Amino acid sequence: MSCFITSQQRAFRTPIENSKFRLTFLQLFTTSSRRSTDDESFYTYLLERSTHRSHLNQIHSRLCVAGLDNNGFIITKFIHICSKLKEIDYARQVFDEFPDRYVFLWNAIIKGYSAHNMAVKVIETYSRMQQDFVSPDKFTFPLVLKACGVVSASRYGQAVHAQIFRLGCEDVVVQNALLSFYLKHGENKRGRIIFDGLGDKNVVSWTSIISGFAQNGQPDEALRIFKDMRGSDVKPDWIALVSVLKAYSDVDDLSQGKCIHGMVIKMGYEFELDLQISLTSIYAKCGDITAAKTLFDRVKSEDVILWNAMISGFAKNGHANEALELFDEMKSRKIKPNVITLQSSVLASAQLGSLAQAKRMGTYVNRSKFRDDIVVCTALINMFVKCGNLKLARGVFDKIVDKDVVVWSAMIMGYGLHGWGREAINLFKEMKDGNVRPNDVTFLGLITACSHSGLVDEGWEFFNSMNDYGVEPHQKHYAGMVDLLGRAGYLDTAHDFIMGLPVEPGVSVWGALLSACRVHRHLELGEYAADKLFSLDPLNTGHHVQLSNLYASARMWDGVEKVRVLMKSKGLTKHYGYSVIEIKGKLEAFRMGDRSHPRSGEIYKKLEWLETRLLESGFRPDTESALHNLDKEDKEAILCNHSERLAIAYGLISTCPGTTLRITKNLRACVNCHLATKLISKLVDREIIVRDANRFHHFKDGACSCGDYW
């Protein structure tokens, strides 16, 4: 056996190097005085105290001189120490020089590769072990199965499973490794078979199966298994509780999550970081933002997963400003964001509705390493769509090289929300030409686009073609079709469509019919839809308001009063309308007749000027839009003071001529304001973009992008 440090190499050392070499070895040697230098324990002692590659060189040289370089016990120990000192290549050299390698030596080098996350090397070494006809043992298999899970080598792992079966290895550690391997590859059924076949289920077994089902989209099953675990004599550890919290988070069961929180405290796990993150996540996701923020502030960790949990919680619960403030704080603390951070922050920017903020977020992403990430880019498309700028959304869409169905669907849905039906259909054709198979979201976007553009025949065609792609319609698709038919005035057809559904129609379906009845003032069918809604969702304020508005449009004031009394008896209050306009990156909100703004005098002066110009142009208020039993003059006054008219007036006095005004309204735009805004866009030569509760309206040169169809 050749020695890596030859006598010739030692001869060429400088005097200083030689003295350091001898001194270092002598220091190790003298601490082992009175030991025989050919004793295994002597070299084991030296190896355990080695801290540097030079120590390993010296020890290996002595082994060569003493003729112990073929001693399997010492060389196995040597390989373990090499791995510990991050000298895995040196370990491999020693391993390759050893004759007649036996299983423990193979396990040592495989374990070294595994410890350094070199999964491919683990599998390659295991394959060579098979070629050398060395039979693996219970220590080999867990390492190889772990590597197969890392590199997604599903078939190779199955071959390892076959060998385990042939050798009859029923060791619980090996079986747990098999369980973990299959669950990591999403094969819940195979994992469950292995778990059920375990005679001795330890905490690792239970934790693996619970974690696997929780991670693989079966939270209910994970919770059932956890219940079985609680009935056994095995106590859960903190790792199991992390997965249980995720499962309860996925099913939105905060009450049970709080019970687990109590268990965490009782078992003394409250300071485990992963549990603190999971607790923050479940409180945030389930809407208890105060509790989530309390936990977040208590942890004071710079773990990006914790920050993601809080930012995502803020964003998903409508706290956009808080989410973005936390994102800015995260950046100031030099905590590096990941894909989830950016996805949640972009979502918050979309909710805010500020184009200036959206542009800032877009710039940040473009300067980051995630600028080409498909998840982040899809979120950017949605953000720009919701902030009213399809051009920027399309720019992000066009730069994505490998577009998947999610990207295509996001852009199609964007065109749909803005009422650009033909553009959505043309994009769908491009998608098919690119051999991308549509999914349920794609068809929802197409139906929405057709609904907002009056393309009834095309909408029917898309709905009927869903089966051709193996896509099953859901409640949202049915509601979209009712909306499509209802907007076009085909109310009886919409009702027949509902009656012929293969499933029980839900709230969204009856809500779409009631909304259409409100627009077309179909009283009898509207009352029928409202009755269905009240039985399905009795505490929804919006349904009651829709029915009240239907009665008001029919001048049935006793019906309006009846609904008002019904709402009062249920403890419901009407949501008041408001409009928000963005001026120089700042959002300003207005309500009907609002006089609280510091520039209120200027706003109403501009509003009076606008009304005069409108009347001079032949505009007459549509008093049918007033949903109150008032005199004609009072109705006209109310209509002139609607929140979007105040927002427009404020925008005109606050921006330079020609600047686009961007307004967001929380309710559906009324007919009167829609007519007025069209004419105002022409009078002041401005583009006015209004996002109401249903869609976007682009007003320019006296016309609207919706074609008066909304």
Side-chain angles (χ1 to χ4, degrees), residues 120-295:
V120 174
K121 282 289 187 181
V122 170
I123 295 173
E124 289 176 352
T125 306
Y126 178 75
S127 296
R128 184 176 168 187
M129 180 183 184
Q130 300 298 292
Q131 293 168 7
D132 285 2
F133 301 102
V134 178
S135 182
D137 62 10
K138 65 180 182 179
F139 300 105
T140 319
F141 292 124
L143 299 171
V144 179
L145 287 168
K146 178 185 175 183
C148 291
V150 171
V151 298
S152 299
S154 178
R155 290 188 177 180
Y156 198 92
Q158 291 173 16
V160 174
H161 185 186
Q163 188 168 20
I164 292 170
F165 182 78
R166 285 196 300 271
L167 294 175
C169 188
E170 297 181 356
D171 181 80
V172 68
V173 177
V174 175
Q175 295 301 313
N176 284 339
L178 270 173
L179 176 63
S180 178
F181 163 74
Y182 280 118
L183 291 170
K184 184 167 286 187
H185 283 85
E187 297 192 39
N188 290 358
K189 289 184 179 179
R190 289 191 179 186
R192 187 59 191 260
I193 291 171
I194 293 171
F195 177 78
D196 290 339
L198 286 174
D200 180 22
K201 298 181 178 71
N202 60 18
V203 67
V204 177
S205 311
W206 287 100
T207 300
S208 295
I209 192 73
I210 292 170
S211 301
F213 276 91
Q215 296 293 335
N216 294 335
Q218 290 188 260
D220 292 319
E221 187 62 24
L223 295 173
R224 278 192 287 271
I225 297 171
F226 176 65
K227 184 179 179 181
D228 293 339
M229 181 185 186
R230 296 286 289 157
S232 71
D233 58 355
V234 180
K235 291 184 178 180
D237 59 9
W238 67 267
I239 300 173
L241 295 181
V242 167
S243 297
V244 172
L245 282 169
K246 181 187 184 308
Y248 278 126
S249 176
D250 288 343
V251 298
D252 291 326
D253 193 340
L254 183 58
S255 61
Q256 288 299 315
K258 289 179 178 179
C259 293
I260 300 300
H261 190 178
M263 186 184 298
V264 167
I265 296 172
K266 185 177 180 180
M267 297 176 72
Y269 293 142
E270 56 185 313
F271 297 109
E272 291 288 347
L273 179 60
D274 286 348
L275 270 176
Q276 291 174 326
I277 293 172
S278 297
L279 285 167
T280 301
S281 179
I282 189 172
Y283 279 111
K285 184 176 182 293
C286 294
D288 194 341
I289 295 299
T290 302
K293 190 63 164 63
T294 301
L295 284 166

Side-chain angles (χ1 to χ4, degrees), residues 287-318:
D288 194 341
I289 295 299
T290 302
K293 190 63 164 63
T294 301
L295 284 166
F296 175 83
D297 292 336
R298 185 185 302 165
V299 177
K300 294 182 179 178
S301 167
E302 295 192 350
D303 190 299
V304 67
I305 300 175
L306 176 67
W307 287 78
N308 287 348
M310 198 65 244
I311 292 173
S312 175
F314 274 137
K316 290 178 179 178
N317 287 282

Side-chain angles (χ1 to χ4, degrees), residues 560-625:
V560 174
E561 182 61 26
K562 182 176 70 174
V563 175
R564 189 175 299 161
V565 171
L566 180 62
M567 290 178 65
K568 187 175 181 180
S569 68
K570 294 181 179 181
L572 304 177
T573 56
K574 180 180 178 180
H575 300 304
Y576 289 97
Y578 62 85
S579 295
V580 177
I581 185 170
E582 181 179 5
I583 302 295
K584 297 178 181 178
K586 184 179 179 182
L587 300 175
E588 299 277 1
F590 295 89
R591 288 185 175 179
M592 185 179 72
D594 197 343
R595 292 184 179 272
S596 62
H597 197 277
R599 300 182 67 183
S600 180
E602 297 175 72
I603 292 170
Y604 275 89
K605 185 176 180 180
K606 191 66 175 180
L607 188 62
E608 184 179 346
W609 177 83
L610 277 175
E611 296 305 321
T612 301
R613 293 291 306 277
L614 285 170
L615 292 173
E616 289 174 351
S617 301
F619 173 78
R620 292 294 179 267
D622 178 13
T623 55
E624 295 295 308
S625 299

Side-chain angles (χ1 to χ4, degrees), residues 427-488:
L427 197 63
F428 179 63
K429 292 177 181 177
E430 291 182 35
M431 176 181 172
K432 289 196 299 181
D433 291 341
N435 295 319
V436 178
R437 191 176 183 84
N439 62 12
D440 58 328
V441 180
T442 315
F443 283 106
L444 182 59
L446 290 167
I447 292 170
T448 301
C450 292
S451 177
H452 288 169
S453 305
L455 304 175
V456 178
D457 293 337
E458 290 83 348
W460 269 118
E461 184 178 344
F462 287 125
F463 179 78
N464 291 327
S465 68
M466 291 177 68
N467 289 330
D468 297 339
Y469 294 94
V471 179
E472 183 180 351
H474 300 299
Q475 291 285 345
K476 288 185 177 181
H477 300 97
Y478 299 138
M481 288 304 297
V482 173
D483 188 60
L484 171 75
L485 296 167
R487 286 175 186 271

